[in-house]
Amino acid sequence: MEMEEKEKDNETTRPSNARLEVCDQRVKIKKWHAIAQWRWDTGNNDPEDDGEGDVCGICRVPFEGCCPSCKMPGDDCPLIWGECTHVFHMHCLLQWIGTASSKQQCPMDRRPWVTAERKVD
Amino acid sequence: MSVSTRRLQKELTDIKRDGTPVGIELLSAEDFATWYLSVEVLGNTVYEGEKFALKFRFDNQYPISAPAVQFVVDDHYTAPVHPHVYSNGHICASILGSEWSPVLSVVSVCVTIQSMLASCKKKERPPDNDRYVSHAPENPKKTRWDFHDDK
Ligand SMILES: [Zn+2]
Ligand SMILES: [Zn+2]
Ligand SMILES: [Zn+2]
């Protein structure tokens, strides 16, 4: 959400109205990409999955919901991807990475955690 | 409600809905601080016919911090005779210490311990059992384990 706002602001400083329109459209499409991507990347298409969708392996709360440290449902609770492709609530992962016993490793595969750059383009 | 309580509530719901793996049973989960589960090793193993109980204690950082897990030693249960299990019930298993991961759960710990028992060929106590048991802290998490590798 925030990103979209920022981009729009950038675009409005551009001189041409026509350009602004195009850019606005691009922004919207980008956002669609982002949503589609994270639903695929978590990639658990198990039909047995009783409609609960994908859950964060740390707190077991679906990604659609916020993590247990976020008290209010409306709180901004972003997801974070590792280069290993594993995904968690950012709050849950940071809590883990913040402990000495994590050795900064991904909880799923114990490889060193490297946050993936999510290119929206 | 603490983070650990919410996680344990989900685990309990899953156990009640999907059951537990063969040989593992939930004995009691009366609160979100202490749970008991029984473990049997099925098939042809050195523990044939024996049933053990595991006690789990959770702090409010669970699952970021590992649960304290030990075998119950009381009038009904004993600790299995195993090279990584002390006679006071404490277990030397890396997943309960340095290899703990917050994606593990009560059931996955039970399964790991069950397979640790299943692969045992010879019933014997750890070589330092007596020394350890006479000095061991009440909570096994307070022990600084030096994990022997299972080869
Ligand atoms: Zn989470
Ligand atoms: Zn959160
Ligand atoms: Zn990973």
Side-chain angles (χ1 to χ4, degrees), chain A residues 14 18-19 41 43 45 57 66 72 77-78 85-86 98 102 108 121:
Chain A
R14 289 185 190 267
R19 252 197 111 153
D41 271 10
N45 291 325
C66 64
M72 311 288 283
C77 186
T85 74
H86 292 125
S102 76
M108 289 286 190
D121 265 330

Side-chain angles (χ1 to χ4, degrees), chain A residues 15-105:
Chain A
S16 141
N17 267 340
R19 252 197 111 153
L20 175 61
E21 246 177 52
V22 172
C23 290
D24 252 277
Q25 227 168 42
R26 192 177 49 115
V27 167
K28 277 195 191 120
I29 290 163
K30 268 203 218 167
K31 212 186 152 217
W32 269 106
H33 265 293
I35 291 165
Q37 257 176 355
W38 76 250
R39 292 205 59 98
W40 285 350
D41 271 10
T42 55
N44 188 354
N45 291 325
D46 194 348
E48 301 286 283
D49 214 337
D50 46 21
E52 231 186 281
D54 298 316
V55 302
C56 168
I58 297 175
C59 66
R60 307 269 169 113
V61 173
F63 286 128
E64 284 90 343
C66 64
C67 80
S69 338
C70 288
K71 302 264 176 339
M72 311 288 283
D75 279 0
D76 193 18
C77 186
L79 305 183
I80 189 168
W81 284 261
E83 279 188 351
C84 56
T85 74
H86 292 125
V87 54
F88 304 94
H89 289 122
M90 191 176 80
H91 299 148
C92 294
L93 185 86
L94 292 185
Q95 248 193 352
W96 166 243
I97 292 292
T99 64
S101 48
S102 76
K103 290 167 270 168
Q104 323 282 301
Q105 290 167 351

Side-chain angles (χ1 to χ4, degrees), chain B residues 15-84:
Chain B
I15 289 173
K16 290 192 168 150
R17 191 191 54 206
D18 309 330
T20 43
V22 187
I24 292 162
E25 269 174 73
L26 183 66
L27 298 175
S28 89
E30 275 161 25
D31 54 32
F32 296 108
T34 312
W35 287 13
Y36 293 91
L37 289 96
S38 67
V39 174
E40 277 174 283
V41 194
L42 301 160
N44 189 12
T45 74
V46 294
Y47 304 105
E48 209 172 335
E50 294 182 72
K51 190 172 191 170
F52 307 103
L54 285 169
K55 177 186 184 183
F56 283 74
R57 281 178 286 174
F58 313 98
D59 61 30
N60 55 19
Q61 292 303 304
Y62 175 81
I64 297 298
S65 80
V69 184
Q70 65 195 99
F71 281 103
V72 175
V73 179
D74 63 10
D75 295 345
H76 301 280
Y77 294 103
T78 56
V81 179
H82 183 281
H84 292 179

